[in-house]
Amino acid sequence: MKPAKPELLAPAGGMEALKAAVENGADAVYIGARAFSARGYASNFSEEELEQAIDYAHLRGVKIYVTVNTLLKEGEVESALILLSRLRETGADAIIIQDPGLIALSRKYLPDLPLHASTQMTLHNSEGVAFAKDLGIERVVLSRETSLEEIRKIKEKSDMEIEVFVHGALCISYSGQCLLSSLIGGRSGNRGYCAQPCRKKYRLYCAGKQVKTGGSYLLSPRDLNTASYLGALIEAGIESFKIEGRMKRPEYVAGVVRIYRRLIDRYFKNPARYFVSEEEQETLTQLFNRGFTSGYFFENPRGKLMSRENPHNRGIPAGKIVSYDRRTKRIRVKLSNTLRPGDGIMVENAETRPEDKGKIISSMYTEKGPVYSAGKGEVVEIPFDSRAPSGSTVYRTHDKKLMDSLKKESESGTLRPKIPVSLTATLTPGKPARLGIKDSDSNVVTVESEYLVEEAEKLPTSKAQIEKQLTKLGNTLFEASELNVNVEGDIFIPVGKLNELRTKAVLQLENLRVSKWKRKPLENLQLPAPGEKKTEGIKGIEGTKAQKLAKKPLLSVSVYSPEGLEGAIAGGADCVYFGEGLFRKPKATEGEKASNKEGLSGGKPDSIFENAVMKSRAAGRKIYFNTPKIVKDSGMEQVEELFSRAEKFGADGVLVSNLGTFNLAKEKKVPCIAGSPLNIYNGYTFALLLQNWAEMAVLSPELTLEELKEVATYGPAECIVHGRLELMESEHCLVGGLLGKAGSKCSAPCASGNFTLVDEKKYEFPLLMDYQCRTHLLNSRSLCMLEYIPLLVESGVASLRIETLGMDSAEEIRRVTAEYRKAIDAFCETGEKIKEKCESLGKGFTAGHYFRGVQ
């Protein structure tokens, strides 16, 4: 069966980019409102501009998806729902959305507004897609790390529409799972304000010694380019091909959309002879690139994923430095490509900061004097303030001629094919002239002239004259594909009246093309007022807020070994999350590597989990089995096995951290706690998870103490109070990519010791690897809220959690747990506030976002 042609979905950060996308062949465009957009630094669209953009696109047969894809604080949810209501009325084709609470509210109050799950929801397995469908989602934007084979499996199990990125920038972390910008700078990627710390310099250390690496930008991926592989993506039946770039210039949008439009159409015209020309690849490269990769569609790219030497646009090579004249401050360049004044260049190895390497050529010289263009083989001199060594490559990062051409053509309004229409005219003496017009989308309008057609006395108006005037559609979006003119007898009608009739019909057709997507305001739409939704209908909520404040919270500890479990129990933990098998242990033997290669189940004997439950039960403590944050379909069997162990050995349940494993726990009726990677930011999301099986939920570490208090009124909530927070999880094995041997198999260099990343401010970020060769980056500082236990208890949370990732020993786990045990007991039993502060546990702690919050 021949696949359907996929939608080409383009980005637009402003109206110019929107017009460029539409003109160059986009089927749909995604844009952001000024609020609640995951690209907060783009210019985005005001509410008035949103309606203008929607009308502009609909008139031309293009869909508009609006991104409302950030996590919402409690006080923002109502405003976001009002925005969705207005977008519904103005005719948005769909909303790209992240916050589960807003999804639930939208389905309740705006049931006819289509929703697409943002890639920020970290959907990467069939169970997660099934949960999204149950929420009322019509399309999912899968995680960029999902392979083509995994996409096929998801499609086999669901009829959900699938959207994937095919071109543009990549995140090193799974989208929706990055706290790096948030924790180090207060600008949250989950809120649309990522500061891109992954594009900064880092050094790699192992056991305290620096490891030599090729390049310093160790977290900076290349850009995605699937132009050569579109056939395979099309054959997989993916419904929408998405281009990244709402922060890019309109000319970039124009060029990339134009090429992908051409390539998709070329494939469907003749799949066997599909190709990408050198000119097309060069244009894509010139427009923007950090080096290209096909991502994870076909294989794990390992070391080929990263752009470690330069995190910025490198353009295309334009020549080599012959010499640098310090007196005139000019570089002499032997060209391998054309350069002109107005072009942008970047010089490799220039003695300046990376961000200052770029320059717009103001003037250019040869031996004969100033020149306005020079080509391959010529030697030119270009003013340049910084010295550059001979032999260094000069890159053309901005092609003025190309960009001017793209801008001019996109603004001309002549690129997009005109819309074919059929015209039917009837002219009868003594009656108004009638004109019907029908477009290719079956929109039909019929208009009549105010003028009554006259019977010709002398020279009748010929049928040819009528046809000529009615088909003059040159300045409109339409072209006549068919014309039927019915004339009864000899008639006369002035040319001006025919023009008025045609203009009237075209205007009505344009209005119909726009207005048919508008939706009537909902009658009696009553949005939830703040405070009305508190505990109504939420599972497991009893008593008043005052009663909850008097209750002693549980002390929970996440551990990753039997020894860690013993330390937590000895320190007084009420509950343990047992994560044995989630992470590789440094300096493992070859035998251990082999037995542990599958992580949760591969080689891990039942006795480890059975003993963990027995020890917890003997001490009168609760125990939950921890599960991975990322679980592809191929790993679901291991998770099911762990669920079976929990039931078999009598554990209290499981801790789940993605919507897929959450949905599986619900289906299997395994008691579960919803982990913090589910990004629980507001009470609506919290309520949704509690109503869908979770017995407790761990709130986002991006919430302040005051914000946490608001959400905790919804039911049993947990917050993390101590330990190194995980800043990102990456499908890319950073250590393996740098130190692994060439080839398809990884030599597991991560097992050779403890690795850390060190940034330019000398902060150290520990690295952990799991058994799927994913990288986990931990915060440089450990969270510590020991001295604020009274405030946390008074917030009404049901559980305080210690995270032990990165802790050195079981003794450290015992000591930290004991200090928190003492602090909780003292305040809850006697009202006493202990004197111990975080300094008693070590140095270099942070209070995270509890008091500063995020942008």
Side-chain angles (χ1 to χ4, degrees):
M1 182 178 174
K2 189 175 181 180
K5 184 177 286 192
E7 169 189 86
L8 178 57
L9 176 57
M15 189 62 81
E16 282 188 57
L18 169 71
K19 292 179 178 179
V22 171
E23 276 298 308
N24 285 278
D27 297 307
V29 184
Y30 63 104
I31 64 178
R34 293 270 167 86
F36 315 127
S37 168
R39 288 292 181 269
Y41 294 119
S43 59
N44 291 316
F45 294 74
S46 68
E47 286 193 23
E48 182 181 347
E49 289 168 338
L50 283 168
E51 184 165 14
Q52 292 171 359
I54 291 168
D55 290 351
Y56 175 88
H58 283 168
L59 181 57
R60 290 157 178 81
V62 174
K63 293 182 178 180
I64 289 287
Y65 307 140
V66 183
T67 59
V68 185
N69 58 339
T70 60
L71 296 178
L72 302 172
K73 296 182 181 181
E74 188 78 359
E76 297 172 333
V77 176
E78 184 177 357
S79 296
L81 189 59
I82 290 171
L83 173 62
L84 294 194
S85 178
R86 290 174 181 161
L87 290 170
R88 173 192 168 277
E89 291 175 22
T90 54
D93 293 277
I95 305 299
I96 301 175
I97 195 166
Q98 175 187 11
D99 194 286
L102 184 60
I103 293 172
L105 284 172
S106 180
R107 289 283 60 84
K108 179 177 180 181
Y109 293 97
L110 311 168
D112 60 347
L113 179 62
L115 301 179
H116 295 175
S118 169
T119 190
Q120 288 287 119
M121 290 188 74
T122 326
L123 292 168
H124 58 279
N125 55 48
S126 299
E127 288 287 347
V129 170
F131 186 79
K133 185 174 182 179
D134 288 343
L135 286 181
I137 295 292
E138 295 184 8
R139 177 189 290 184
V140 296
V141 188
L142 292 176
S143 295
R144 291 174 173 92
E145 296 81 358
T146 314
S147 73
L148 197 57
E149 183 58 32
E150 289 159 351
I151 292 170
R152 290 192 187 101
K153 289 180 180 177
I154 290 171
K155 288 193 69 63
E156 286 174 6
K157 297 178 181 179
S158 172
D159 58 358
M160 179 77 79
E161 285 188 14
I162 300 296
E163 178 177 305
V164 300
F165 284 92
V166 297
H167 196 93
L170 291 172
C171 291
I172 185 61
S173 172
Y174 273 86
S175 293
Q177 302 303 321
C178 184
L179 296 175
L180 181 57
S181 174
S182 170
L183 265 297
I184 68 175
R187 291 190 279 177
S188 171
N190 285 320
R191 302 269 295 161
Y193 293 103
C194 177
Q196 294 195 310
C198 53
R199 304 296 182 184
K200 302 293 184 182
K201 285 185 175 180
Y202 296 89
R203 290 167 288 152
L204 181 67
Y205 282 75
C206 180
K209 294 182 180 180
Q210 186 172 353
V211 179
K212 187 176 180 180
T213 58
S216 301
Y217 301 95
L218 305 184
L219 295 178
S220 178
R222 296 180 179 183
D223 290 343
L224 183 64
N225 179 343
T226 64
S228 297
Y229 312 101
L230 280 189
L233 301 183
I234 290 169
E235 293 299 331
I238 297 166
E239 281 81 5
S240 182
F241 288 177
K242 186 173 195 173
I243 296 167
E244 182 277 337
R246 280 196 288 144
M247 297 288 289
K248 298 288 201 310
R249 296 170 56 142
E251 295 89 343
Y252 170 89
V253 173
V256 176
V257 170
R258 180 183 300 185
I259 289 174
Y260 274 85
R261 173 77 282 149
R262 189 185 302 159
L263 296 180
I264 292 170
D265 293 345
R266 181 180 296 158
Y267 182 85
F268 275 86
K269 186 175 181 180
N270 191 337
R273 300 189 64 182
Y274 177 78
F275 68 94
V276 183
S277 71
E278 288 185 17
E279 179 185 1
E280 289 163 341
Q281 280 289 19
E282 183 172 305
T283 298
L284 291 173
T285 305
Q286 179 65 77
L287 286 168
F288 195 97
N289 83 93
R290 299 179 180 93
F292 283 132
T293 173
S294 58
Y296 290 92
F297 281 117
F298 305 100
E299 62 178 0
N300 189 320
R302 302 190 187 280
K304 295 181 287 185
L305 177 71
M306 307 302 287
S307 176
R308 301 191 190 99
E309 296 185 354
N310 178 22
H312 307 291
N313 177 27
R314 62 180 62 175
I316 62 174
K320 294 280 187 181
I321 300 287
V322 176
S323 62
Y324 178 75
D325 190 323
R326 294 189 179 186
R327 182 180 59 84
T328 61
K329 289 190 174 181
R330 290 181 182 177
I331 49 174
R332 295 185 74 237
V333 184
K334 184 171 184 179
L335 298 180
S336 58
N337 217 316
T338 302
L339 278 183
R340 301 175 181 85
D343 286 350
I345 58 170
M346 186 270 290
V347 180
E348 180 185 58
N349 301 322
E351 293 181 354
T352 183
R353 297 181 304 170
E355 54 268 34
D356 294 335
K357 286 184 179 181
K359 172 185 174 60
I360 298 294
I361 299 174
S362 58
S363 54
M364 198 164 63
Y365 306 87
T366 65
E367 294 177 349
K368 298 178 181 179
V371 294
Y372 300 98
S373 179
K376 182 177 180 180
E378 294 187 74
V379 176
V380 296
E381 293 186 3
I382 302 170
F384 200 78
D385 291 335
S386 303
R387 194 184 77 83
S390 299
S392 299
T393 301
V394 176
Y395 295 90
R396 186 180 67 200
T397 55
H398 176 83
D399 185 335
K400 186 176 185 300
K401 183 179 179 181
L402 171 65
M403 300 300 258
D404 287 350
S405 173
L406 289 168
K407 179 179 176 65
K408 183 178 179 181
E409 291 171 1
S410 297
E411 291 176 350
S412 70
T414 60
L415 293 177
R416 192 171 187 90
K418 288 186 176 288
I419 301 164
V421 293
S422 61
L423 303 158
T424 302
T426 302
L427 296 98
T428 305
K431 294 183 179 180
R434 289 172 59 88
L435 176 62
I437 183 169
K438 178 181 180 181
D439 66 18
S440 54
D441 297 315
S442 299
N443 297 301
V444 181
V445 298
T446 301
V447 298
E448 291 186 347
S449 65
E450 294 180 4
Y451 172 82
L452 298 179
V453 178
E454 299 177 41
E455 188 171 345
E457 294 180 359
K458 294 182 179 179
L459 295 174
T461 305
S462 70
K463 188 175 181 181
Q465 288 176 306
I466 296 169
E467 291 175 346
K468 180 181 178 181
Q469 294 308 125
L470 294 182
T471 55
K472 283 186 175 181
L473 300 170
N475 293 327
T476 73
L477 299 173
F478 309 107
E479 64 178 1
S481 61
E482 185 180 352
L483 175 62
N484 295 298
V485 176
N486 303 309
V487 179
E488 296 184 13
D490 291 336
I491 59 102
F492 172 79
I493 183 169
V495 168
K497 298 302 180 182
L498 288 171
N499 292 342
E500 287 178 10
L501 187 67
R502 182 196 65 230
T503 301
K504 184 177 180 181
V506 167
L507 285 174
Q508 286 198 20
L509 181 60
E510 289 178 345
N511 289 335
L512 177 59
R513 289 178 65 85
V514 169
S515 63
K516 75 172 188 177
W517 299 103
K518 310 283 187 187
R519 302 177 182 92
K520 292 181 180 179
L522 295 176
E523 295 182 9
N524 303 319
L525 175 62
Q526 295 179 346
L527 304 182
E532 285 185 2
K533 75 283 179 188
K534 284 298 176 188
T535 59
E536 180 184 351
I538 296 174
K539 167 188 167 186
I541 303 230
E542 295 177 358
T544 65
K545 185 174 178 181
Q547 288 172 327
K548 277 201 245 179
L549 289 177
K551 188 176 180 181
K552 183 192 292 189
L554 295 174
L555 177 59
S556 301
V557 184
S558 296
V559 299
Y560 302 90
S561 68
E563 297 76 19
L565 180 139
E566 291 177 1
I569 291 175
D574 297 304
C575 176
V576 178
Y577 301 133
F578 188 59
E580 170 64 30
L582 290 181
F583 298 98
R584 288 180 181 268
K585 296 179 176 65
K587 299 182 180 178
T589 66
E590 289 302 316
E592 286 173 330
K593 290 179 203 171
S595 67
N596 290 334
K597 65 182 179 180
E598 298 299 332
L600 284 174
S601 61
K604 291 293 177 187
D606 280 0
S607 59
I608 290 178
F609 296 92
E610 185 176 15
N611 289 338
V613 174
M614 290 175 63
K615 288 179 181 179
S616 300
R617 288 287 175 261
R621 316 299 164 83
K622 292 185 173 184
I623 181 170
Y624 291 79
F625 292 165
N626 202 347
T627 61
K629 186 189 300 183
I630 302 298
V631 184
K632 303 291 186 70
D633 277 4
S634 58
M636 277 295 180
E637 187 176 338
Q638 296 171 32
V639 172
E640 287 192 57
E641 186 176 329
L642 191 68
F643 287 3
S644 296
R645 283 173 169 166
E647 185 176 7
K648 177 180 178 182
F649 301 134
D652 292 276
V654 294
L655 175 67
V656 294
S657 295
N658 72 70
L659 290 175
T661 49
F662 177 73
N663 197 51
L664 185 65
K666 179 183 176 182
E667 289 176 351
K668 301 288 184 182
K669 300 193 182 307
V670 179
C672 75
I673 294 173
S676 63
L678 291 174
N679 291 325
I680 300 152
Y681 235 73
N682 56 65
Y684 297 98
T685 297
F686 192 11
L688 175 70
L689 295 173
L690 292 176
Q691 290 164 350
N692 278 275
W693 191 248
E695 58 183 44
M696 185 166 69
V698 188
L699 304 186
S700 168
E702 292 191 316
L703 297 179
T704 65
L705 193 56
E706 289 302 311
E707 291 163 350
L708 183 143
K709 273 185 191 179
E710 284 189 282
V711 181
T713 61
Y714 281 82
E718 180 174 279
C719 63
I720 301 172
V721 297
H722 193 95
R724 291 185 186 267
L725 295 176
E726 185 174 306
L727 300 186
M728 64 167 62
E729 179 167 346
S730 175
E731 189 72 17
H732 174 67
C733 178
L734 191 146
V735 175
L738 284 165
L739 307 179
K741 297 177 182 178
S744 59
K745 291 186 178 180
C746 180
S747 56
C750 61
S752 61
N754 291 307
F755 287 88
T756 58
L757 281 187
V758 179
D759 69 7
E760 294 175 284
K761 295 182 179 180
K762 299 184 179 179
Y763 287 111
E764 298 182 10
F765 300 86
L767 295 173
L768 296 177
M769 278 67 183
D770 63 28
Y771 288 100
Q772 302 300 321
C773 294
R774 298 187 182 105
T775 300
H776 302 254
L777 180 72
L778 306 185
N779 199 8
S780 59
R781 295 185 177 187
S782 183
L783 176 68
C784 181
M785 293 292 287
L786 180 63
E787 56 206 82
Y788 304 107
I789 287 298
L791 294 177
L792 289 160
V793 172
E794 289 170 350
S795 74
V797 295
S799 177
L800 305 178
R801 197 218 294 189
I802 296 169
E803 176 55 68
T804 68
L805 279 176
M807 286 194 184
D808 293 332
S809 65
E811 172 56 26
E812 182 183 3
I813 293 171
R814 184 204 64 77
R815 185 166 59 90
V816 170
T817 305
E819 289 296 332
Y820 277 88
R821 177 79 280 156
K822 183 168 65 173
I824 294 169
D825 290 349
F827 182 72
C828 292
E829 294 172 9
T830 67
E832 178 187 351
K833 298 181 181 180
I834 63 167
K835 296 179 180 180
E836 281 81 355
K837 296 184 181 295
C838 290
E839 284 75 9
S840 65
L841 296 174
K843 296 181 180 179
F845 290 109
T846 175
H849 286 303
Y850 280 108
F851 301 106
R852 67 173 182 167
V854 294
Q855 187 173 357

